[in-house]
Amino acid sequence: MRKIVLITGATSGIGEACARRFAQGGFDIVITGRNSEKLNLLKAQLEADGSEVVMLVFDVRDRQAAAAAVESLQGRWEDIDVLINNAGLALGMEKEYEGDLDNWETMVDTNIKGLLTMTRLIVPHMVERNHGHIINIGSVAGDAAYAGGNVYCATKAAVKAITDGLRIDVADTCVRVTNVKPGLVETNFSVTRFHGDRNRADQVYQGVKPLTGADIADVCFYAASAPPHVQIAEVLVLATHQANGTVISRDIRHEM
């Protein structure tokens, strides 16, 4: 029987790329997100390529909506093999003492509380079945703060701690837990951070070849495909000319 992966934030970027990669790898897919139009389009494309797909439209910040969506899964769709907690975002680059409280709340509610909600809803059944894999999409930003990152960096540091804690909690089971920490990935991430300012977003990637959502999806699929006795606990994935969260060589002479 084909395995099932549930992916949050599947409407674009890393989440969409994970849906496509896992479909290519023989999984059936539960895609979730807030934009029903984008999810419908992705669903149709994945089904055309041979995967069975269930679409759940909800915001991970809404705990009741998330619970209702998960509870709507019936039959074999209840048996999630891989949960990819991908939904997340950054908003703004202001100094911490000048930050927008609404932006902070959105980041905390999505990046931390949304991840916890999905973990609480899905993982108990994995433990009961003694089978499953949780892949949390963290960030190099969780390793050390950078200028303007403050609260976003804190949320990704929390993802690391939450992931490590869950791995401890399920160590007596066959459930595996992975933290994938991307560096520069060219998706809608920076457009969202800068509230739709695409010119400013493009400057983030200027002079360097960034990662793509497909690159991170490949890492997630590798972790999920490892033999059952192998747990890929944490993966830091950077562009070749990125050393960490703050050191990036933007020499336009780089040739890749």
Side-chain angles (χ1 to χ4, degrees):
M1 183 176 293
R2 289 165 64 100
K3 292 183 177 180
I4 297 171
V5 58
L6 187 152
I7 305 164
T8 66
T11 54
S12 65
I14 293 172
E16 179 184 350
C18 282
R20 297 185 187 281
R21 181 65 186 88
F22 277 74
Q24 291 169 3
F27 278 70
D28 289 329
I29 320 290
V30 181
I31 51 174
T32 85
R34 296 177 295 169
N35 189 315
S36 60
E37 184 176 346
K38 289 184 177 180
L39 287 177
N40 267 312
L41 178 60
L42 178 60
K43 181 176 185 291
Q45 292 170 344
L46 295 175
E47 288 177 336
D49 290 336
S51 291
E52 292 187 34
V53 182
V54 169
M55 182 182 86
L56 301 177
V57 182
F58 66 94
D59 189 331
V60 294
R61 294 177 296 172
D62 186 334
R63 189 166 63 189
Q64 291 184 336
V70 171
E71 289 169 5
S72 73
L73 297 172
Q74 299 295 320
R76 74 181 189 92
W77 292 99
E78 297 179 81
D79 296 335
I80 303 299
D81 296 286
V82 180
L83 166 64
I84 301 181
N85 279 314
N86 165 74
L89 76 170
L91 291 171
M93 288 283 287
E94 297 84 6
K95 294 180 185 295
E96 190 170 322
Y97 60 84
E98 297 174 336
D100 185 299
L101 291 170
D102 289 336
N103 285 348
W104 292 354
E105 186 171 23
T106 298
M107 286 187 283
V108 169
D109 286 353
T110 305
N111 300 358
I112 302 176
K113 293 166 68 176
L115 180 150
L116 285 170
T117 293
M118 295 306 297
T119 299
R120 184 65 181 85
L121 290 170
I122 299 295
V123 176
H125 191 44
M126 289 182 172
V127 172
E128 179 184 332
R129 295 161 58 215
N130 199 31
H131 168 80
H133 194 162
I134 303 93
I135 301 176
N136 291 333
I137 304 300
S139 172
V140 64
D143 289 345
Y146 56 75
N150 44 73
V151 174
Y152 172 70
C153 293
T155 65
K156 290 304 184 178
V159 169
K160 173 176 171 51
I162 290 166
T163 306
D164 290 346
L166 179 60
R167 193 179 304 110
I168 293 167
D169 290 338
V170 299
D172 60 343
T173 76
C174 293
V175 176
R176 302 185 293 186
V177 185
T178 301
N179 183 17
V180 176
K181 305 187 301 184
L184 277 178
V185 184
E186 190 168 13
T187 63
N188 286 330
F189 176 85
S190 291
V191 176
T192 299
R193 168 169 248 168
F194 298 126
H195 304 285
D197 187 338
R198 191 166 293 276
N199 289 331
R200 191 177 177 191
D202 288 343
Q203 292 174 15
V204 174
Y205 313 107
Q206 188 172 1
V208 64
K209 184 171 183 177
L211 302 167
T212 67
D215 294 327
I216 306 306
D218 282 340
V219 174
C220 293
F221 188 78
Y222 170 76
S225 303
H229 70 288
V230 177
Q231 180 170 217
I232 309 299
E234 185 171 288
V235 185
L236 175 63
V237 192
L238 303 175
T240 297
H241 298 293
Q242 178 178 18
N244 55 33
T246 58
V247 178
I248 302 168
S249 174
R250 298 185 183 275
D251 189 333
I252 60 174
R253 294 173 297 176
H254 293 326
E255 294 184 5
M256 301 298 293

